[in-house]
Amino acid sequence: MFIGRDKEKQELMRAYNSLESEFVAVYGRRRVGKTYLVRQTFKDQLTFACSGQASGNMADQLFGWYSSLKDAGLQVKNRPKSWLEAFDLLKELIKSSQSRKKVIFIDEMPWLDTPKARFVNALEFFWNGWASGRDDVLLIVCGSATSWIVNKLFKNHGGLHNRVTYRILLEPFTLNECERYGIARGFNLSRYDILELYMVLGGIPFYWSLLEAGKSVAQNIDNMFFASNGKLRYEFDELYNSLFKSPEHYIAIVNALGENKAGLTREELIKTCDLSSNGTYTNTLRDLEYCGFIRAIPAYGNKNGSLYQLIDNFTLFYFKFMSQNANNDEMFWSHNYLSPLRSAWVGLAFERVCFQHIKQIKQALGIAGVVANVFSWRTGPSPQGEAGAQIDMLIDRADNMVNICEMKFSKQEYVVSNDDVKILRHKALRFSQMRGRKKSINLTLITVAGIARTGHWGEIQNVITASDLFAG
């Protein structure tokens, strides 16, 4: 079932209709739908399709290539013993094809690059020495190990430097796309249910495809995550082990970020995870960013003070609940649906959903066409003894305005209390003291169902609701 991805399909077709050979890289988080996008776009137009094997050695990968060549119709006498030979056989297949454009699809390419295989060298020789000189080859490569795609292809300083002609980042579905997907599947889900599912599943299409119609949100989550045969019960280990050769350091970082609501700086992460501040640590952070698990939010007024946050909804859910399910309760979510444990989680999960819908928030504020950057900001106690302050989402606008955003999860209309107003005023005051009164400040509340017109609601200048986050 194909929902959305219009821009990405157009990019693929633009490459297909090009009068030159094109090298396309489709990348993004595992399970986000990269393979599905390519296969649905081209269907029976693929001249050759091959996929790497997650734990295969060089011999396994070459056999898979050999088998795919035979499936594509090439009469292959001997199996290739090297990647140079393997790409030579691919050239023979391309030359024998009568298609106007020869579409070559290599899925999970990072897995083909086993130790000492010299795969990248062979790819470089194939593309630079042969395919790029033709006008009829469309090479499409995919990989869930996004860091490999970025480092080995995009940042290649050798023969593949600037050779990728189309870079297509496939991002998770938005709330709007998940709603459309549910409708297409025949689900009659309320927006509140979609929001709650999004806080667990994120916008990962594969996860949404596992939902069963006629079951409540709690029943679906129990069936997918906590049942003994749950299809996502072991997803966490499979996810990180398939992407990273040594996942322990990666897991330590996302675990630390999962325990810290506001996020951690680089230095705080080093202390928390007992890691060394070196190139390996820097690469680990970058890999997690490339793969869509964490996000670095710039600190306002400090170029080197970014806060790292865990942004992957599923990973956050795993740390909060699945790793805590020591009794193997197969109905854990149903049994804890009204518990303080869940109540503490929904606030953090809702904040993450808001950060994943910055475009929609700007649109709701009426600043879609205004240059506006999102920052975090925090300061310690003042010399005069005033308490420190932290702003998780600060929108700095080119129209001389700053939005200090507070996110509150409540199924009903949120009642703005006196304490809420005091906290927001304090944040605004400390921000003005530290940064100067250069811009006007708007206090902004992002809630699920809006705010009740009672109490201190008049102190809030902007209100954004979950319905605003569902905008296309």
Side-chain angles (χ1 to χ4, degrees):
M1 186 172 299
F2 213 91
I3 298 294
R5 309 307 194 196
D6 295 331
K7 179 182 175 182
E8 292 82 2
K9 286 188 290 184
Q10 289 171 6
E11 285 286 281
L12 286 173
M13 291 311 300
R14 189 176 297 116
Y16 179 80
N17 292 318
S18 169
L19 299 179
E20 300 175 346
S21 288
E22 303 290 352
F23 189 163
V24 179
V26 181
Y27 63 110
R29 184 196 185 281
R30 187 172 187 251
R31 310 286 206 186
V32 81
K34 301 180 296 297
T35 303
Y36 190 75
L37 168 68
V38 175
R39 290 193 173 275
Q40 286 297 308
T41 300
F42 293 107
K43 295 183 179 178
D44 58 354
Q45 293 175 297
L46 294 175
T47 304
F48 173 76
C50 179
S51 179
Q53 303 165 55
S55 57
N57 58 26
M58 181 179 174
D60 296 329
Q61 309 293 358
L62 286 170
F63 178 82
W65 189 277
Y66 161 78
S67 178
S68 296
L69 285 169
K70 292 199 300 181
D71 290 341
L74 185 68
Q75 300 298 316
V76 188
K77 295 181 180 179
N78 301 307
R79 299 181 193 175
K81 297 179 180 179
S82 70
W83 283 112
L84 285 173
E85 290 183 21
F87 276 103
D88 256 357
L89 291 172
L90 178 58
K91 289 195 290 187
E92 292 301 317
L93 175 67
I94 292 172
K95 287 187 285 188
S96 68
S97 173
Q98 300 300 311
S99 300
R100 181 186 66 82
K101 202 64 166 263
K102 286 72 173 175
V103 183
I104 310 303
F105 179 38
I106 305 177
D107 199 7
E108 295 298 357
M109 179 175 273
W111 292 341
L112 299 177
D113 187 26
T114 54
K116 300 180 181 180
R118 296 182 63 82
F119 174 81
V120 175
N121 300 74
L123 173 64
E124 174 190 327
F125 185 72
F126 165 77
W127 183 256
N128 290 344
W130 190 78
S132 64
R134 299 170 64 95
D135 60 8
D136 61 349
V137 176
L138 173 56
L139 173 61
I140 304 173
V141 304
C142 281
S144 297
T146 304
S147 56
W148 187 97
I149 297 289
V150 173
N151 292 321
K152 294 295 183 78
L153 299 183
F154 300 165
K155 294 186 176 181
N156 188 291
H157 298 296
L160 289 177
H161 180 66
N162 282 338
R163 292 300 188 267
V164 176
T165 53
Y166 286 80
R167 303 180 183 187
I168 300 177
L169 171 60
L170 201 63
E171 298 192 31
F173 277 170
T174 62
L175 282 166
N176 176 277
E177 289 168 321
C178 288
E179 182 176 48
R180 289 160 53 198
Y181 183 80
I183 292 171
R185 290 280 305 275
F187 297 155
N188 189 22
L189 296 169
S190 69
R191 283 192 163 178
Y192 181 85
D193 283 350
I194 294 171
L195 176 61
E196 183 171 359
L197 284 168
Y198 199 93
M199 291 192 292
V200 177
L201 306 176
I204 306 304
F206 174 74
Y207 297 166
W208 284 80
S209 73
L210 302 178
L211 294 173
E212 295 182 49
K215 292 186 176 179
S216 69
V217 169
Q219 288 175 317
N220 266 302
I221 292 175
D222 280 333
N223 288 346
M224 286 191 287
F225 293 100
F226 300 106
S228 59
N229 62 343
K231 293 180 180 178
L232 296 178
R233 185 180 176 92
Y234 304 104
E235 172 70 5
F236 181 84
D237 290 335
E238 293 175 5
L239 182 62
Y240 284 84
N241 287 326
S242 68
L243 295 178
F244 309 116
K245 293 180 180 178
S246 300
E248 297 80 13
H249 295 312
Y250 297 91
I251 293 173
I253 289 173
V254 296
N255 190 13
L257 292 176
E259 294 295 326
N260 288 270
K261 173 175 177 283
L264 295 170
T265 64
R266 176 188 172 91
E267 291 70 27
E268 289 169 339
L269 269 172
I270 290 171
K271 292 179 182 178
T272 303
C273 301
D274 194 23
L275 299 172
S276 299
S277 179
N278 53 29
T280 300
Y281 171 62
T282 299
N283 290 335
T284 301
L285 286 177
R286 287 177 180 170
D287 288 350
L288 286 168
E289 278 193 84
Y290 291 150
C291 292
F293 294 115
I294 68 174
R295 173 183 293 176
I297 302 175
Y300 189 87
N302 184 357
K303 294 181 180 179
N304 299 315
S306 295
L307 276 179
Y308 289 93
Q309 289 186 338
L310 175 60
I311 202 71
D312 184 67
N313 306 58
F314 162 74
T315 301
L316 179 63
F317 180 80
Y318 172 84
F319 282 128
K320 291 295 182 184
F321 300 107
M322 297 181 71
S323 62
Q324 306 296 324
N325 186 25
N327 297 324
N328 291 318
D329 181 357
E330 295 196 16
M331 296 183 67
F332 179 88
W333 195 246
S334 296
H335 291 157
N336 287 277
Y337 194 74
L338 299 178
S339 71
L341 186 66
R342 176 185 174 275
S343 298
W345 164 79
V346 292
L348 176 57
F350 180 61
E351 285 190 11
R352 293 301 180 262
V353 174
C354 291
F355 273 101
Q356 290 158 347
H357 291 78
I358 296 294
K359 175 184 174 183
Q360 287 77 10
I361 290 172
K362 291 179 181 179
Q363 186 173 326
L365 289 171
I367 57 171
V370 177
V371 176
N373 297 308
V374 177
F375 296 95
S376 66
W377 180 83
R378 62 181 177 179
T379 187
S382 71
Q384 294 76 30
E386 296 171 301
Q390 177 162 317
I391 301 171
D392 295 333
M393 182 187 291
L394 185 149
I395 303 177
D396 184 36
R397 299 158 47 169
D399 58 356
N400 208 43
M401 184 85 62
V402 168
N403 288 88
I404 293 178
C405 301
E406 193 83 359
M407 290 147 277
K408 297 291 185 181
F409 186 90
S410 173
K411 189 173 182 179
Q412 310 302 326
E413 288 184 336
Y414 186 78
V415 178
V416 181
S417 68
N418 186 49
D419 286 342
D420 289 329
V421 173
K422 285 182 179 179
I423 291 171
L424 282 167
R425 283 179 177 173
H426 177 70
K427 290 182 179 184
L429 176 64
R430 291 307 316 276
F431 179 76
S432 296
Q433 289 173 341
M434 297 297 296
R435 307 307 307 174
R437 297 181 181 277
K438 299 176 182 178
K439 294 188 176 185
S440 300
I441 294 175
N442 268 10
L443 301 182
T444 304
L445 209 58
I446 307 174
T447 71
V448 175
I451 63 175
R453 298 210 167 197
T454 185
H456 298 269
W457 69 276
E459 300 281 346
I460 307 301
Q461 283 82 51
N462 298 108
V463 179
I464 297 170
T465 68
S467 291
D468 294 319
L469 302 183
F470 276 84

